[in-house]
Amino acid sequence: MKISTSKSETMVLSQGTELLPPSLRHPHRHLDSEMVFRGTIKDAPNFDPSADAESLYNAMKGMGSDKEAILDLITSRSNAQRQEVIAAYKCTFGKDLIEDLKYELTGKFERLIVSLMRTPAYHDAKEIKDALKGAGTNEKSLIEILASRNNTQIHDMVQAYKDAYGRNMEEDVISDTSGHFKKMLVVLLQGTRDESGVVDGDLVEQDAQDLYAAGEEQWGTDEAKFIMILGNRSVTHLRMVFDAYEKIAEKSIEQSIKSELSGDFERLMLAVVQCIRSIPMFFAKRLYKSMKGLGTADNTLIRIMICRSEIDMLDIRECFRLGYEKSLYNMIKDDTSGDYKRTLLNLCGGDDDLAGEFFPEAAQIAYKMWEISSMTKVKLRPTIVPASNFDPAADAQALRKAMKGFGTDEDAIIDIVAHRSNAQRQEIRQTFKSLLGRDLMKDLKSELSKNLERLIIGLMLTPAEFDAKMMRKAIEGAGTDEHALIEILVTRSNEEIQAMNAAYQEAYKKSLESAIQSDTSGHFCRILVSLVQGAREEGPADFERANIDAQELADACNADSDDRVMKFMSILCTRSFPHLRKVFQEFVRFSNKDIEQIIKKEMSGDVKNAFYAIVRSVKNQPSYFADRLYKAMKGLGTDDRALIRIMVSRSEIDLFNIRKEFKETQDTSLHEFIQVETMIGDTSGDYRKTLLLLCGGED
């Protein structure tokens, strides 16, 4: 069965996806489709290259240069027009415009302006050359460029490389890389991906089965099969293969790549898959990673802003808005300065924080993201498991010995507590009292101090006791820790919430619900009271009801503030997570908006934070916790209470998954981040050591 995609894109989308409405349909702007330009930089009207050449000459003559005039002119001309200006400049003044710009400008601003003056092919060629030269290879640049360019762009780049450097790009890549990473780069350098727009339905099923057999189904991995299929099949074909693969493997192709491959080869294959799914989303992620945290990866930022400014920057902006908490415009504004910033903002073209409906590209991506979320079955993996050959009496005696006499053997305490499951720790608590007639918790509190004490005691409590204590800490005192209340109540199961309620009543002789009501107010209080009932529906999605819920949420967007919050609460706080995934997917179809964006734009304060946490948890709970961990440690000072709460509560559930999400989003491992961020104030290192043991290893 062959399917032509030239007449109707919906024929492809119908494979594993419900038909999208007309408002969400349009030809995909990807590697194998007819290019639809969605850039922010276009041909300037009434263009006069000689006049522009004279303006640039005047801006650079004399003492100093008029940088504002230079950047305004260059960022308001297309690349083709800039090439005409270069030629006119040489004809009129007998000088090389690029050399003059290099002489007059400095630093990142010079790099950005000069790069804008090169043709796309020569710019890519220079980036590849820079990635290969010197002592170390910049694998991330190689991956980004070769995974995202179409056949024509690759052919032009290879020729430009030969013209500029008199060398063969393929030979240079081969000499500078190795293994399967090298083989896949060579395949991509051929620029021979199928771009016919015709899909063989039988081959789709065969490729999906072959990928499964090459990885998940066998011991070891047939990397050559991954290279052959992902390096040659068309974009439309591969999207259908990915859908078919998820049905076979019950996990996404990305998850399989992460588990089957490693190193630069894994990163390259993930980049290829991300570009197959959505090039704008791929670049949105790259831009975010280039600016987050301390310092900016300016080469990456410059490269992407230039190479996409005439292609799909509008879609990248929209994907950025979909994926992150601020617009691309505002992130650039906050992360850069001076003329460099002004030039980047001109290339960006506008601020999307106040934008309304999706561009079609982002609507399709949002719809598909929710579908993938609902189809993928994630195996949750802990970092702490029951110790083998467990002897509670021996552990009790060893703990007593570590605390007896002058001084405390913290290493011995940490080694036992951090290597036992919670159930085993409860046996140790009981045995300690039975054998020694002492209360282990009281002994630990008297011997330990500060964050190490809080962490060890947290590990020794039952999960219900620990959650109850964390809720108490969030409520008591002068200020309420609303983020902690939200995090706990949103992420716990009905059973866990009910156990926490009982533990709270037992420990504090007061119901948790009444404590919440006395410390919060308004809609936020009602949301927390709804969640603390531990009565969320369980089970799979009801498709018919999901459509009704989605329509009601879409209608509520036009209601007054109170009615909107109450409608959102009635659905988000009561429906099962699988059902909500389907609701949020269909919400895109009914409203042409994403539920996260509606919450961020239409709601405020703690109500917004609570609903946003629910949506993030529904979409990907390990990712939500990874973000919470990052925020707990980034910047000046660490939120140790949040750090301890998450590391303790997730260590026997999904901390391994959280680690993977942390590495994916932050480009550094959770292990490394903890090592660096907890050094200040932890002079002994025991607190950090315990956290690292809970983390379970380096990624």
Side-chain angles (χ1 to χ4, degrees), residues 57-306:
Y57 180 79
N58 290 332
M60 290 186 283
K61 73 179 182 181
M63 290 291 292
S65 54
D66 187 346
K67 297 180 179 64
E68 189 171 325
I70 293 170
L71 73 88
D72 282 342
L73 190 150
I74 288 175
T75 57
S76 60
R77 305 294 186 267
S78 68
N79 189 275
Q81 290 176 332
R82 291 181 210 126
Q83 304 315 308
E84 291 188 55
V85 174
I86 290 172
Y89 192 91
K90 183 166 281 189
C91 287
T92 306
F93 302 107
K95 302 181 74 177
D96 187 304
L97 175 55
I98 290 181
E99 290 303 315
D100 280 2
L101 288 168
K102 287 181 180 178
Y103 180 80
E104 292 291 333
L105 309 178
T106 59
K108 294 177 285 190
F109 179 53
E110 178 223 321
R111 249 185 295 162
L112 177 54
I113 292 295
V114 168
S115 295
L116 280 164
M117 301 307 296
R118 297 191 181 98
T119 66
Y122 277 85
H123 182 247
D124 278 351
K126 185 178 188 306
E127 291 296 300
I128 293 290
K129 180 68 173 175
D130 289 346
L132 295 173
K133 72 180 181 182
T137 305
N138 187 340
E139 291 85 3
K140 290 181 180 178
S141 293
L142 294 179
I143 290 169
E144 177 199 299
I145 295 169
L146 293 180
S148 64
R149 302 309 194 251
N150 64 28
N151 291 348
T152 300
Q153 290 168 328
I154 288 175
H155 295 155
D156 291 347
M157 174 183 64
V158 169
Q159 185 59 50
Y161 191 92
K162 189 170 186 178
D163 293 343
Y165 306 110
R167 300 178 64 86
N168 181 286
M169 183 182 287
E170 181 180 324
E171 291 176 0
D172 284 357
V173 167
I174 288 173
S175 67
D176 219 51
T177 58
S178 61
H180 297 298
F181 177 58
K182 175 183 72 177
K183 293 173 186 174
M184 185 62 178
L185 290 176
V186 170
V187 167
L188 295 174
L189 272 171
Q190 306 314 301
T192 54
R193 186 179 294 282
D194 178 15
E195 294 181 346
S196 66
V198 176
V199 176
D200 184 331
D202 293 333
L203 186 58
V204 166
E205 295 299 324
Q206 184 61 54
D207 281 349
Q209 190 60 58
D210 286 350
L211 286 172
Y212 181 66
E216 295 288 341
E217 196 176 40
Q218 67 175 25
W219 180 260
T221 306
D222 182 356
E223 290 87 354
K225 185 64 68 174
F226 277 81
I227 291 171
M228 187 275 289
I229 294 174
L230 295 183
N232 290 282
R233 303 287 195 252
S234 75
V235 169
T236 310
H237 176 93
L238 284 173
R239 288 200 195 104
M240 296 171 68
V241 169
F242 298 162
D243 287 343
Y245 183 89
E246 284 173 28
K247 293 176 182 176
I248 296 169
E250 294 188 338
K251 61 166 62 176
S252 69
I253 187 69
E254 290 93 333
Q255 288 175 306
S256 291
I257 287 172
K258 289 175 185 177
S259 63
E260 295 294 325
L261 311 180
S262 62
D264 291 325
F265 182 47
E266 174 196 342
R267 286 184 278 275
L268 174 58
M269 299 305 266
L270 284 173
V272 169
V273 170
Q274 289 163 9
C275 288
I276 294 298
R277 291 201 186 276
S278 168
I279 284 180
M281 182 59 82
F282 170 74
F283 281 115
K285 289 180 180 178
R286 291 282 294 152
L287 283 168
Y288 175 75
K289 289 181 178 181
S290 75
M291 291 182 281
K292 69 172 180 61
L294 295 174
T296 302
D298 291 292
N299 286 344
T300 301
L301 179 57
I302 290 170
R303 181 173 60 248
I304 297 173
M305 294 302 292
I306 289 174

